[in-house]
Amino acid sequence: MAVAQLNEYAQRERAVLTYEDVGSVGLDHIKTFTVRAVVNGKPYPDGVGKTKKEAKLNAAAKALSVLSKGTIDPTEKTAEASPAPAHQTGITQANYTCWLNEYSHQERVAIRAVETTRLGPTGATQCCRFVVGDKEYPAATGRTKKDAKEEAAKLVHQEICGSNTTEAADKDQNTGNSLNETSIESRFTSDFVPMECLGSGGFGSVYKAKHKLLEKNFAVKIVCCEETSLREAGTLSDLLHPNIVRYYTSWMEDSGYQGDSESTESSAGYSSLPTSTNSSAKHLYIQLELCDTKTLKEWIEEKNTESLQDSRRREEGLSIAQQIVSGVEYIHYKKHIHRDLKPDNILFGLGGEVKIGDFGLVTRDDDDDALIDRTKDCGTESYMAPEQNKKNYDRKVDIFALGLIFLEIFWKVSTGHERDVVLRDARRQNLPKDFLWTFPKESQIMKLMLREKPEERPEASEVQAELEKTFNAHNEHQRNATV
């Protein structure tokens, strides 16, 4: 969208970007707002709209027009907004759905597609309309669901951005007039010094990179810009918790960084998103907190090589379990379902604290979405709850996965085959007999978490409270034993 592109331009050029609220005219119910973009102290043509947000979008689009073409005097002002060419608002032909997802994440508004099928004399016609925030937009039709969705997204774009110039967009694409083409330099290589590849594979790549200005190290993940990757970035931007990998910012570039990606085939818990084979597709860059390359899976494997089931493992395990469930409780509080909790996706911060990562399969858990069909078999099979092979499920799938993870944290297994057997039996609530008397309190919690019926499983907040009691009781026992 235009606002995001202008912000990106300002960051790339080290320019100071501000917006001036010029004012509004008209009665309360028919007001027209005017906003002006100012770059490095230079005012650009005014943008007007029915809301301040719409006026800001038009002001950004006009500033982009001046900056990309260089044909308008920056001090020139116009009384009314002109339509923004599609290429200036981040739209290419047949890409309005991607724009709408980006708009949703940028403006922090929820979007919902309402799809129906109409029967006519020539057969079935697919229909779609979008609800953005509290506003419902016009419906569109198409031969396929995808076509209808794209046309519906186009109608949203036209109303929000005032753009109804597909012909102009095609013309601009043919002439090559775009802001991206006037600034070929990659923001990633301009702002960062790539240091090493932390993970690569089908999901894309994750790099350890030093920010030149801040002189701090971050993890920068590079994936093909698709609906799932945009959803992950949008979710991460909504989360701020000490036990969740921290999100800083994201941006798009025309291509992915072609550095050394042969360091490892593991994603180190940052992502498992697929990457596209289309070399012309845009790539999404996500700047994240840098974590230790060691995951919970490796911590468990290290503990399993030790000769005895020692009390230190229990103490460390209780602390780790508490931190994981604290992060999950926050995720659920923010109305999200992780859907892919497993030891591989749980990292450790540079200070040793637990960090939940990989939100590539995250989905919303709004109360009014309880009966909406979700993608079935979405997750890692050995940690999926029984109901995940159907389309109707909620956040309790994360609780089931946590029950299995907790068992792995506390219980030592000697071989991969033994682990498979223990997890398979645990899915049927058959915990190892020795585990039941070694960890009686933990066993009670886990049995509830592994109930087949999701409504019988506890909420994350309840698990957190029980673990805290167990942790305090364990510490009290340890203190008494040393007296």
Side-chain angles (χ1 to χ4, degrees), residues 197-257:
C197 182
L198 299 175
S200 65
F203 63 90
S205 299
V206 181
Y207 289 90
K208 176 182 178 181
K210 184 175 184 178
H211 195 284
K212 295 177 182 179
L213 183 63
L214 301 178
E215 294 188 345
K216 291 183 178 180
N217 295 332
F218 296 91
V220 179
K221 182 173 60 177
I222 307 169
V223 294
C224 182
C225 184
E226 297 175 340
E227 184 176 350
T228 50
S229 55
L230 287 169
R231 183 170 65 236
E232 181 189 16
T235 300
L236 284 168
S237 69
D238 192 38
L239 304 176
L240 183 59
H241 188 276
N243 298 123
I244 296 174
V245 174
R246 183 176 176 183
Y247 166 93
Y248 289 94
T249 189
S250 56
W251 68 93
M252 286 195 294
E253 293 186 12
D254 289 333
S255 60
Y257 174 68

Side-chain angles (χ1 to χ4, degrees), residues 290-307:
L290 182 66
C291 292
D292 194 325
T293 55
K294 179 180 178 180
T295 65
L296 179 60
K297 180 182 179 181
E298 292 167 300
W299 181 91
I300 292 170
E301 290 173 348
E302 286 180 5
K303 292 296 181 183
N304 286 340
T305 61
E306 296 177 357
S307 58

Side-chain angles (χ1 to χ4, degrees), residues 88-105:
Q88 293 170 8
T89 54
I91 296 297
T92 57
Q93 193 171 18
N95 201 22
Y96 289 95
T97 305
C98 185
W99 170 85
L100 183 55
N101 283 313
E102 184 184 350
Y103 173 83
S104 168
H105 295 309

